[in-house]
């Protein structure tokens, strides 16, 4: 089955669903989403393509390219979705899309070779996490991890011996609370490592108790 842009969002959505049912993630990822922003199915097309790209990235299939696809498609799909009750019945839970969007941005940031290149991804990650926190669902430990991970990276990108110390102290306090709340979640280890990273960077600054 070849998923060509059909000129009809409804038909393409049907094709995407059929491909997803057969685990044909590469075909969905290779298709150009063919819709206008106000088309009824446009948000679902972007979400489904983003999901397909994420699955391929996790399989180490052109990871950077597919994480980029994930980040772009999920951002569009999430922002185009006004009625999540209707969307979730077709494409799944909102919180999972937020988690995958933020995770893709975090991993793309880590692929950059300079602070200048990494900063835009970090800024997008911070925005993603802030939106994630406002979304209903049971993945708040994921949202707080991405938020404080982005804040730590922002401090590291512009670290100095004065302002950075105070920022790290505040971040350590916030992350400590988040780690406690995440203790029974699958993000417990992520928060533990993040706390250790904050403590290590703080300890490396002269005169920063």
């Amino acid at each position: 089955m070849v998923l060509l842009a059909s000129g009809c969002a409804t038909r393409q959505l049907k094709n995407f669903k059929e491909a997803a049912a057969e685990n044909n993630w590469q075909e969905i990822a290779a298709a150009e989403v063919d819709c206008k922003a106000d088309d009824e199915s446009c948000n679902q097309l972007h979400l489904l393509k983003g999901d397909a790209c994420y699955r391929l990235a996790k399989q180490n299939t052109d990871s950077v390219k597919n994480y980029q696809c994930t980040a772009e498609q999920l951002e569009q799909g999430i922002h185009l979705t006004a009625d999540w009750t209707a969307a979730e019945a077709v494409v799944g839970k909102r919180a999972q899309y937020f988690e995958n969007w933020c995770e893709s941005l975090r991993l793309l940031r880590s692929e950059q070779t300079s602070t200048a290149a990494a900063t835009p991804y970090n800024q997008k990650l911070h925005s993603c996490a802030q939106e994630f926190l406002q979304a209903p669902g049971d993945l708040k430990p994921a949202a707080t991890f991405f938020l404080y991970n982005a804040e730590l990276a922002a401090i590291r990108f512009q670290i100095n011996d004065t302002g950075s110390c105070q920022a790290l102290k505040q971040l350590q306090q916030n992350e400590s609370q988040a780690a406690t709340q995440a203790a029974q979640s699958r993000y417990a280890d992520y928060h533990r490592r993040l706390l250790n990273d904050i403590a290590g960077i703080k300890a490396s600054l002269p005169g920063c108790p």
Side-chain angles (χ1 to χ4, degrees):
M1 177 172 56
V2 178
L3 303 182
L4 297 175
S6 64
C8 175
T10 302
R11 181 178 299 177
Q12 190 174 46
L13 180 61
K14 178 177 179 290
N15 290 344
F16 274 22
K17 289 178 185 176
E18 290 173 355
E22 298 171 5
N23 295 326
N24 286 337
W25 312 119
Q26 288 184 324
E27 294 192 43
I28 299 172
E32 289 292 331
V33 171
D34 183 30
C35 65
K36 297 178 181 177
D38 57 356
D39 286 344
E40 184 177 351
S41 303
C42 197
N43 65 318
Q44 295 177 27
L45 288 169
H46 286 295
L47 292 172
L48 289 171
K49 178 167 179 174
D51 178 64
C53 289
Y54 189 76
R55 290 171 185 268
L56 291 173
K58 284 298 186 182
Q59 295 170 7
N60 294 318
T61 303
D62 290 332
S63 295
V64 173
K65 174 185 174 183
N66 280 306
Y67 281 130
Q68 188 70 48
C69 166
T70 301
E72 292 171 358
Q73 294 297 318
L74 293 188
E75 180 177 10
Q76 290 183 73
I78 286 169
H79 290 162
L80 285 173
T81 303
D83 183 356
W84 275 100
T85 300
E88 287 183 344
V90 179
V91 298
K93 296 296 184 182
R94 169 173 21 179
Q96 189 62 61
Y97 286 110
F98 268 108
E99 182 180 12
N100 294 352
W101 175 27
C102 289
E103 176 67 354
S104 295
L105 290 167
R106 185 178 75 90
L107 294 171
L108 284 167
R109 182 193 63 194
S110 72
E111 291 290 334
Q112 307 311 306
T113 57
S114 69
T115 297
T119 295
Y121 288 103
N122 197 60
Q123 291 169 339
K124 279 184 170 289
L125 174 59
H126 193 264
S127 296
C128 175
Q130 288 181 314
E131 290 185 44
F132 192 178
L133 276 173
Q134 302 306 313
D138 58 357
L139 286 176
K140 185 176 179 181
T144 53
F145 165 73
F146 290 123
L147 181 68
Y148 297 139
N149 178 280
E151 290 185 3
L152 177 60
I155 293 170
R156 293 179 69 174
F157 290 163
Q158 303 182 60
I159 200 155
N160 58 65
D161 292 345
T162 53
S164 295
C165 180
Q166 185 56 43
L168 285 166
K169 286 180 179 179
Q170 184 61 59
L171 179 58
Q172 188 174 46
Q173 180 179 330
N174 294 342
E175 172 54 21
S176 224
Q177 294 173 354
T180 299
Q181 294 170 353
Q184 302 304 315
S185 77
R186 60 186 172 85
Y187 269 79
D189 284 345
Y190 289 88
H191 280 280
R192 178 182 54 79
R193 289 194 293 269
L194 182 55
L195 261 180
N196 288 340
D197 288 344
I198 295 168
I201 295 170
K202 184 167 159 282
S204 72
L205 287 179
C208 187

